[in-house]
Amino acid sequence: MVSLSLRFCSLLALVPLAAVGSVIPRADTYDYIVVGGGSAGSIIASRLSENSSVSILVIEGGPSHEGEVDLTIPYVYPRTFRSRFDWNYTTVPQPNLGNRPGIYLRGHVLGGSSSINGMTLNRAPASDWDKIASYTGDSSFRWEAILPYIKKNEGFNRPPNTPEYANTYDPAVHGFNADKIGNTLVTDGNWISQPALQAATEVGINYVRDVNGGLPVGISWQQFSTKDGSRSSAATAYLNAGILSSRSNLKVLLNTFVTRLLPVSRTDLRFTTVEYKDASGNIVTVSARREVIISAGVMSTPIILMRSGLGPRAHLQANNITTILDIPAVGQNLQDRCGAAAVWRVNATDTDDDIDRDPAVFNRWLNQWNQDHTGRLTQMSYRQMIFGRVPNNASIFTGGFQDPSSGPTCPHYELYPANKWTSPTTPQPATGNFVSMNIFVSASNVRGTVTLDPTNPLTGNPVIDPKYLSSEWDRYVMRDAVRTSVRYFNAPAWKKWNATPVFDTAILNSDAALDAWISSSAFGGVHGVGTARMGPANSPAGQDVVAPNFKVKGVSGLRIADTSVFPFVINGHTMGATYAIAEKVSDLIKSGN
């Protein structure tokens, strides 16, 4: 049961103010400083603190996750969006999304986005990891080398031993560590699983035993980071109250805004000092004897680097920041997955729609959850997911166009049916029962940017331009995914439920009409990578930001470990892949590499 009281003898809460005050020297020194207590930072700090002879400081911009019901009950996770647990970022207006600015969700809380997201736990296909290994020239990123790190932080919960769930996972690719991050299938016997699986067979979508087995193309059972009916995050597993109270060598600063990192001098580029704003608005510094690890996320990491004088020289000069090292790749190469939701009305009565619109129904399920952490609030309305590819003979491939995916076993798009209305761009009707298809372009070839706010470069939010759907490839994939979704819901399995689209299917007859529908319905802001991307150890200066050992090139004492380092878009939800690199970085640091 969630406790509404907090007792952290090792958490120091610092609430930053907007004003910048005077610089106050601080004598605090730690062996390691982790900037960002999110999906990667929580794991790295916890792993390093297993050695009681080293000291670790975590600086987290948001509050604690402990005692927060909205961060604990799986079903209510959308309540955390645009809340105090979210950085509340937005993109610049996107021409291919009807010139709408997009919401960009990033966790502003211990555990980062693993504390607010929809809990889908993917690791990326094996070919994605093999592509990273090939690009960096480092075989330790190959799938078979990464799999042990994936297992290391996983506490897989076996589904019921019944015929319905007999072939829903592969134990060979899972870890069963009870004290680590939970991984669970939704096995509640809800009506939607039968037509969801049968329709896939009817339209020729193959069944995949385990979505996380490295070969995800097809339909499979979705896996979620939940445990015992509650969210399981990087924070609940690695920076929980028990760990923090028992390790005197591990300290966490909450609600603390990191402004920049400082080198020893202009000629000695050892980054040993972190500057942050304290509760009184004073600028405070703290030092690391060994390393500073930045795990602030795909948006904040490049901003911290640029404020520290590490980034594209022209952009830094334009924002009156002294260039310490010209790194053109910082803030560039942003790749994200653009999504949309298409909705069908059904005659099923056991959808989750009334939970969202009828307080009495919600409270009935809430009472059950409060009693024993069971019932409908332990799930998120999803049970299966489909990864697909455009056909090999698709017209887009004519003229020598190169498939940007990591290979023939890598998906181009992702689909997952929901047991309710999920469109974020159209309000839910007051009555009726619905199912939705959530659609994402995966293997994008678009690259956007993250830059400083010219009106407030030192403390302002990042300027985010993902350039959604700005390539013909991304638009083609989105069209194909929408048309595949319609074929799927036209399958005989859905006839019993009278699945009827709430949108005009005439849009399917014209690419221009379909593009217009997508432009009005699409959204993003979920799975960004690449803004401090990794490259080969010997790549030209500034082409990449970090080497395969996650160290920032051209300086010392500084590593980056979060989704910003992935050189290519991850073809799946990024949380699981982030956990894997966090475990890998922890081992690298422990071994002195």
Side-chain angles (χ1 to χ4, degrees):
M1 196 64 67
V2 175
S3 169
L4 298 182
S5 65
L6 296 178
R7 291 196 307 162
F8 281 118
C9 62
S10 58
L11 260 68
L12 310 176
L14 302 180
V15 181
L17 303 178
V20 175
S22 59
V23 176
I24 296 179
R26 192 171 179 108
D28 287 359
T29 301
Y30 298 82
D31 289 304
Y32 300 100
I33 299 175
V34 180
V35 177
S39 302
S42 294
I43 293 174
I44 293 168
S46 186
R47 289 298 191 189
L48 294 179
S49 68
E50 290 171 348
N51 179 356
S52 61
S53 67
V54 299
S55 56
I56 296 93
L57 174 68
V58 180
I59 305 178
E60 165 54 40
S64 172
H65 65 291
E66 294 280 353
E68 299 291 348
V69 173
D70 287 351
L71 304 179
T72 306
I73 301 176
Y75 188 85
V76 303
Y77 74 92
R79 292 184 179 184
T80 65
F81 303 164
R82 315 304 285 174
S83 74
R84 68 188 180 96
F85 303 119
D86 182 1
W87 280 99
N88 293 306
Y89 294 153
T90 55
T91 72
V92 301
Q94 296 295 289
N96 294 290
L97 271 61
N99 286 316
R100 291 176 287 125
I103 293 172
Y104 211 102
L105 304 170
R106 293 290 88 190
H108 178 249
V109 60
L110 203 60
S113 295
S114 76
S115 291
I116 72 166
N117 63 18
M119 289 154 278
T120 295
L121 192 56
N122 292 152
R123 295 112 172 241
S127 58
D128 276 6
W129 292 104
D130 292 347
K131 183 179 180 181
I132 293 171
S134 176
Y135 175 73
T136 61
D138 189 329
S139 62
S140 70
F141 285 96
R142 290 188 60 82
W143 167 255
E144 63 268 20
I146 287 293
L147 189 56
Y149 290 118
I150 292 171
K151 292 180 178 181
K152 189 175 183 180
N153 63 58
E154 182 183 21
F156 189 82
N157 299 302
R158 297 177 189 269
N161 186 23
T162 61
E164 182 181 2
Y165 306 112
N167 194 35
T168 56
Y169 75 103
D170 179 2
V173 297
H174 291 287
F176 298 89
N177 308 290
D179 62 334
K180 294 301 183 281
I181 298 167
N183 186 3
T184 307
L185 280 62
V186 177
T187 56
D188 58 0
N190 186 268
W191 74 276
I192 196 172
S193 290
Q194 188 276 329
L197 292 165
Q198 183 179 332
T201 299
E202 291 168 348
V203 298
I205 297 172
N206 65 292
Y207 180 76
V208 175
R209 181 184 181 190
D210 196 312
V211 68
N212 281 323
L215 301 170
V217 174
I219 189 168
S220 54
W221 285 77
Q222 200 163 351
Q223 297 175 14
F224 299 94
S225 56
T226 62
K227 180 189 295 186
D228 299 327
S230 297
R231 177 189 291 273
S232 183
S233 69
T236 63
Y238 286 88
L239 290 182
N240 56 57
I243 288 174
L244 291 171
S245 63
S246 64
R247 297 183 187 176
S248 60
N249 62 328
L250 174 60
K251 303 291 182 182
V252 177
L253 297 178
L254 297 173
N255 301 310
T256 302
F257 185 80
V258 170
T259 51
R260 59 178 176 164
L261 315 174
L262 302 171
V264 172
S265 70
R266 289 291 303 277
T267 57
D268 185 352
L269 299 188
R270 287 180 293 133
F271 278 80
T272 59
T273 301
V274 177
E275 181 184 271
Y276 65 83
K277 204 185 310 181
D278 75 2
S280 300
N282 297 305
I283 300 300
V284 180
T285 60
V286 61
S287 298
R289 297 183 192 92
R290 301 189 185 185
E291 289 191 25
V292 175
I293 301 104
I294 309 179
S295 296
V298 66
M299 299 305 162
S300 295
T301 286
I303 294 300
I304 291 171
L305 289 173
M306 287 188 276
R307 287 174 180 156
S308 306
L310 304 174
R313 184 185 300 276
H315 184 57
L316 300 184
Q317 289 176 338
N319 287 280
N320 296 313
I321 295 174
T322 300
T323 302
I324 302 298
L325 185 65
D326 180 23
I327 311 178
V330 170
Q332 306 301 300
N333 306 301
L334 170 65
Q335 288 198 284
D336 194 14
R337 304 198 313 143
C338 188
V343 184
W344 282 257
R345 184 182 296 272
V346 292
N347 61 12
T349 58
D350 194 23
T351 66
D352 290 335
D353 294 288
D354 282 342
I355 299 176
D356 293 342
R357 63 191 172 204
D358 187 338
V361 174
F362 174 82
N363 287 332
R364 186 167 68 248
W365 289 114
L366 178 61
N367 289 337
Q368 180 171 335
W369 187 90
N370 280 328
Q371 289 172 11
D372 55 15
H373 288 194
T374 62
R376 291 294 271 272
L377 301 191
T378 65
Q379 54 87 44
M380 290 67 65
S381 301
Y382 311 115
R383 286 155 184 82
Q384 287 80 34
M385 64 193 315
I386 299 166
F387 283 106
R389 290 177 58 83
V390 301
N392 291 333
N393 62 354
S395 61
I396 189 73
F397 293 129
T398 60
F401 177 82
Q402 295 297 310
D403 181 352
S405 76
S406 57
T409 60
C410 174
H412 293 142
Y413 58 82
E414 172 191 342
L415 312 172
Y416 51 107
N419 189 28
K420 67 176 184 179
W421 183 286
T422 63
S423 172
T425 57
T426 308
Q428 181 190 33
T431 60
N433 296 92
F434 304 92
V435 294
S436 304
M437 185 66 94
N438 297 282
I439 305 164
F440 285 95
V441 175
S442 281
S444 172
N445 66 352
V446 170
R447 294 187 183 271
T449 59
V450 176
T451 55
L452 295 163
D453 179 356
T455 68
N456 188 6
L458 298 182
T459 59
N461 282 346
V463 177
I464 304 168
D465 185 7
K467 304 186 188 302
Y468 291 127
L469 299 174
S470 60
S471 74
E472 176 55 29
W473 165 255
D474 280 32
R475 293 191 295 272
Y476 189 98
V477 172
M478 181 63 89
R479 289 185 215 116
D480 190 73
V482 173
R483 288 175 169 134
T484 298
S485 299
V486 173
R487 288 196 299 272
Y488 174 81
F489 276 107
N490 282 340
W494 293 105
K495 299 302 182 186
K496 173 182 177 180
W497 309 103
N498 194 29
T500 305
V502 301
F503 56 95
D504 183 1
T505 56
I507 62 173
L508 304 175
N509 300 326
S510 159
D511 284 356
L514 184 50
D515 283 347
W517 180 86
I518 291 168
S519 178
S520 66
S521 304
F523 58 89
V526 284
H527 301 134
V529 304
T531 53
R533 75 175 182 186
M534 179 185 295
N538 60 354
S539 63
Q543 175 178 301
D544 304 298
V545 181
V546 299
N549 59 5
F550 299 84
K551 292 182 178 180
V552 176
K553 296 180 177 181
V555 305
S556 61
L558 186 59
R559 286 190 214 238
I560 301 174
D562 54 35
T563 59
S564 70
V565 304
F566 287 112
F568 316 107
V569 67
I570 294 296
N571 291 290
H573 299 236
T574 52
M575 178 172 62
T578 305
Y579 290 161
I581 66 165
E583 294 284 8
K584 181 176 173 61
V585 169
S586 300
D587 275 5
L588 285 170
I589 295 172
K590 286 180 175 182
S591 64
N593 294 316

